């Protein structure tokens, strides 16, 4: 299989993004949402991320969106402004073909280019070997597990926390211009 085209997402991609996420909500444990958001809500979330200056990418194969990845704020307080949290979702039929890895690598590179210093992965379900594997391959370290913090499909689920330095990470402090971010 040829590599996917990884490109910035547009509003025209959101019906596919919404469909991919709906499947994850209804049948998966990567997200702890229980009711899939509709296109209007996914559009609101997309615009909020872009308005905040965060990257959002889609993976395209044979003209169709097969996955997406974005970074958003890790926490709202200003001291966290150099830290982002990532999300990656794929169509189920496309798992284990390297597209999640392609999306993550592009997302990491873009976050580094934008001056972010840390990326956090909050992975739903400690049994999510695919996501944990992709994060490990892209340089994330395991930083902890919150056991049994989510209840979905009648069972308790863990949240796995992973972290990766971006650019200089914590080895330097951003310059004065970045302090105002």
């Amino acid at each position: 299989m040829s590599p996917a085209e990884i490109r910035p997402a547009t509003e025209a991609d959101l019906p596919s993004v919404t469909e991919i996420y709906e499947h994850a909500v209804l049948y998966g444990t990567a997200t702890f949402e229980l009711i899939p958001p509709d296109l209007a809500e996914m559009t609101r979330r997309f615009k909020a991320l872009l308005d905040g200056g965060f990257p959002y990418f889609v993976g395209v194969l044979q003209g169709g969106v097969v996955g997406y990845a974005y970074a958003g704020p890790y926490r709202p307080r200003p001291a966290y402004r150099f830290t982002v949290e990532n999300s990656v979702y794929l169509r189920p039929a496309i798992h284990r073909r390297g597209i999640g890895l392609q999306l993550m690598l592009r997302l990491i590179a873009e976050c580094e280019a934008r001056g972010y210093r840390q990326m956090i992965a909050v992975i739903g379900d400690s049994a999510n070997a695919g996501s944990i594997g992709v994060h490990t391959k892209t340089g994330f370290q395991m930083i902890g597990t919150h056991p049994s913090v989510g209840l979905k499909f009648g069972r308790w689920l863990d949240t796995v926390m992973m972290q990766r330095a971006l650019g200089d990470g914590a080895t330097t402090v951003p310059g004065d211009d970045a302090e105002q971010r």
Side-chain angles (χ1 to χ4, degrees), residues 22-38:
E22 178 179 324
H23 189 276
V25 171
L26 293 175
Y27 303 105
T29 55
T31 176
F32 285 10
E33 282 201 70
L34 301 176
I35 300 170
D38 62 13

Side-chain angles (χ1 to χ4, degrees), residues 7-44:
R7 63 166 173 75
T10 68
E11 202 166 329
D13 298 319
L14 294 181
S16 294
V17 166
T18 301
E19 183 180 289
I20 292 166
Y21 190 62
E22 178 179 324
H23 189 276
V25 171
L26 293 175
Y27 303 105
T29 55
T31 176
F32 285 10
E33 282 201 70
L34 301 176
I35 300 170
D38 62 13
L39 179 58
E41 175 58 18
M42 292 296 282
T43 301
R44 187 200 64 73

